[in-house]
Amino acid sequence: MKTKLRIAGLLTAFSFIIYGLMRGEASVVLNKAVNICLECIGLG
Amino acid sequence: MKITYAIKRKLLQFIAFGCSNAHLLNFKGGKIYTGKWKQFCNPGLNCYSCPAAGFACPIGALQAVNGSRQFSFSFYVAGLLLAFGVLLGRAVCGWLCPFGLLQELIHKIPSPKRKLKKGFLYIKYVVLVVFVLILPVAATDYMGMGKPAFCQYICPAGTLEGGLFLLAAHESLRKAVGALFSLKMAILVLTLAGCVFFYRFFCRTLCPLGAIYGLFNKISIFRLEVDRHKCVGCGKCKEVCGMEVDPVKTPDSAECIRCGACADVCPTGSVCIGFSTQRKKV
């Protein structure tokens, strides 16, 4: 049972990652991460 | 000399800390790394506004995408968290998280060590649901953009790793300091003080990433197992556990960070952690 859950979990994870990459989520992450995050440092 | 889990883990923690924060020269000019690697998430909590950070923080990234105008849910970050969770569970916290290592080093400061009341362990789930999942999506501005509420109001890692260094380097940022920064500084001071007295105080009480990975401990491929045929019930494993878990009763506890302290201390070798352990049926 646990093995099936692990396989299902990993398959779901990779599907999510590929779908997220295809619709351009990585660029949103990059855009946020390469600019100083004012919220993170307590100014935003 | 026997290479214990404690030695292996500390070594890997420092390597992971170095890999997550490789851009040390950025501290000099108060800059942050702006290369392509920042589209990938670190498995552990590490603020992407830390000058040395080479990757994105998964909790910050999750809130950023969920609160963006284009998307209301991040499949990319959720997929990464799911993959890390299924593969490693909370071993990420124990072996790879830079802020976890900082907390462990602070806990070495000589002081009376205390046990945490169980109720505090549930706060991190509230933080995850309210500040990471709901507020960035629900509390949006007129343009439909949400703010990363956990980073904004709570995250002491951001204040410590990003805030203090960047404020020290930029006068323009120092001029913008206000009540919000005071709140975050107060949380940082309380967290650091808590870490002196309680083992991994932040991980256990406030960390939403630990809350997520903890949910996977029951099925994670990297796991802790106890051979009940060999166990003599001496209780040393429970006694040594910093996270206050009883590995014999609850080897898959959401609080277990797979540090291996219990395996190191077990006199009969009945506790083991890893990818290929074989649980004996009772």
Side-chain angles (χ1 to χ4, degrees):
Chain A
M1 184 62 188
K2 276 190 181 179
T3 308
K4 283 180 186 170
L5 274 174
R6 286 173 190 141
I7 293 168
L10 286 177
L11 286 175
T12 310
F14 292 124
S15 313
F16 273 25
I17 293 168
I18 290 166
Y19 178 64
L21 288 173
M22 280 169 58
R23 64 180 198 155
E25 287 178 27
S27 63
V28 178
V29 173
L30 182 66
N31 188 46
K32 181 72 183 174
V34 297
N35 293 294
I36 291 175
C37 165
L38 293 177
E39 293 90 355
C40 302
I41 64 173
L43 303 180
Chain B
M1 189 180 98
K2 190 188 170 194
I3 301 176
T4 60
Y5 285 117
I7 296 171
K8 287 184 206 170
R9 189 171 76 94
K10 204 52 76 188
L11 195 63
L12 194 58
Q13 279 182 297
F14 276 105
I15 292 170
F17 190 98
C19 292
S20 307
N21 296 288
H23 304 276
L24 296 174
L25 291 177
N26 284 343
F27 280 114
K28 201 177 162 192
K31 296 179 291 182
I32 63 169
Y33 167 68
T34 56
K36 294 264 183 201
W37 284 99
K38 269 208 166 162
Q39 64 191 299
F40 300 108
C41 292
N42 203 319
L45 196 79
N46 193 55
C47 184
Y48 41 37
S49 283
C50 170
F55 301 98
C57 168
I59 291 296
L62 185 66
Q63 294 170 94
V65 181
N66 288 358
S68 67
R69 263 185 304 175
Q70 304 101 302
F71 311 110
S72 55
F73 180 74
S74 177
F75 285 95
Y76 171 56
V77 183
L80 285 171
L81 292 174
L82 186 57
F84 290 137
V86 174
L87 287 172
L88 300 168
R90 272 198 96 173
V92 171
C93 309
W95 294 69
L96 301 174
C97 181
F99 200 61
L101 174 62
L102 283 177
Q103 290 176 79
E104 287 184 11
L105 295 177
I106 291 165
H107 191 64
K108 290 192 183 297
I109 295 171
S111 69
K113 305 303 176 192
R114 307 272 183 222
K115 289 197 181 289
L116 201 63
K117 286 205 165 66
K118 212 172 179 181
F120 285 96
L121 304 178
Y122 300 106
I123 299 173
K124 60 181 172 290
Y125 298 102
V126 178
V127 169
L128 170 66
V129 173
V130 176
F131 287 87
V132 177
L133 299 177
I134 294 178
L135 284 179
V137 180
T140 53
D141 60 16
Y142 68 97
M143 289 172 73
M145 290 179 72
K147 287 200 169 187
F150 173 73
C151 303
Q152 190 174 15
Y153 298 110
I154 298 176
C155 187
T159 318
L160 180 68
E161 297 167 5
L164 294 180
F165 291 113
L166 291 174
L167 259 65
H170 298 281
E171 200 190 338
S172 56
L173 292 177
R174 285 199 296 277
K175 283 180 180 166
V177 164
L180 192 58
F181 186 76
S182 304
L183 169 74
K184 286 203 68 182
M185 272 306 293
I187 292 175
L188 173 63
V189 171
L190 284 175
T191 303
L192 297 182
C195 291
V196 175
F197 301 106
F198 302 95
Y199 183 72
R200 285 186 172 244
F201 179 72
F202 173 75
C203 295
R204 296 160 73 194
T205 57
L206 290 173
C207 184
L209 197 54
I212 294 171
Y213 289 142
L215 300 175
F216 293 100
N217 264 4
K218 284 192 193 317
I219 63 158
S220 64
I221 297 171
F222 190 93
R223 56 196 185 275
L224 180 148
E225 293 189 346
V226 180
D227 185 339
R228 288 166 199 269
H229 294 292
K230 282 161 71 177
C231 178
V232 291
C234 65
K236 284 184 179 172
C237 50
K238 184 184 173 187
E239 207 174 286
V240 78
C241 181
M243 301 299 278
E244 295 169 38
V245 172
D246 183 346
V248 177
K249 282 186 186 159
T250 52
D252 295 332
S253 163
E255 294 304 313
C256 176
I257 56 169
R258 310 302 194 216
C259 68
C262 50
D264 282 339
V265 82
C266 180
T268 60
S270 56
V271 184
C272 54
I273 59 168
F275 287 105
S276 58
T277 54
Q278 186 62 54
R279 182 172 288 173
K280 300 277 190 302
K281 298 268 187 285
V282 179

